[in-house]
Amino acid sequence: MPEIRSQSAAAMAVAASALKAQQGRMRIIAENIANANSTARTAGGDPYRRQVPVFRPTKIEGGEGVSMIRVEGDESAFKTEYDPGNPAADAKGYVKLPNVDTLVEALDMKEAQRAYEANLNVIETARSMQSRTLDILKK
């Protein structure tokens, strides 16, 4: 009997770690989208650089979950636009724009939301199984 409880608790712990990781991922994606049209504060300076979460497997109670260990800047090139009147323009009149593609970010957000929902379903299913087991034991 204790085996069922520990397996259920392990499933919930793994799903909870994934929920936390996806929540962090969605926060970073939202930050990227919010800064997609920003420019540098100084002439010729670099604008906002797209951020990317880095995950790693993590040992948790009864299993292996996931955690976000850090956030790294995306090293892809900045976009440039000719706008000599912009205060952030360099000497040639070009303004560097963030390396954020809002379509990619929207797709990443949808994927993170679906992963979050899937892990919520795991927790709900584990709770339901625990409840059914208790109901069976009561009879």
Side-chain angles (χ1 to χ4, degrees), residues 17-62:
S17 74
L19 285 175
K20 186 175 179 183
Q22 293 303 330
Q23 181 182 20
R25 180 180 175 199
M26 286 188 277
R27 180 187 52 77
I28 291 166
I29 293 168
E31 183 179 309
N32 288 340
I33 292 170
N35 288 292
N37 295 318
S38 63
T39 58
R41 294 178 187 224
T42 59
D46 286 344
Y48 175 82
R49 183 171 294 279
R50 178 178 185 254
Q51 301 297 302
V52 181
V54 178
F55 300 100
R56 87 163 169 221
T58 305
K59 278 293 217 192
I60 56 171
E61 176 192 335

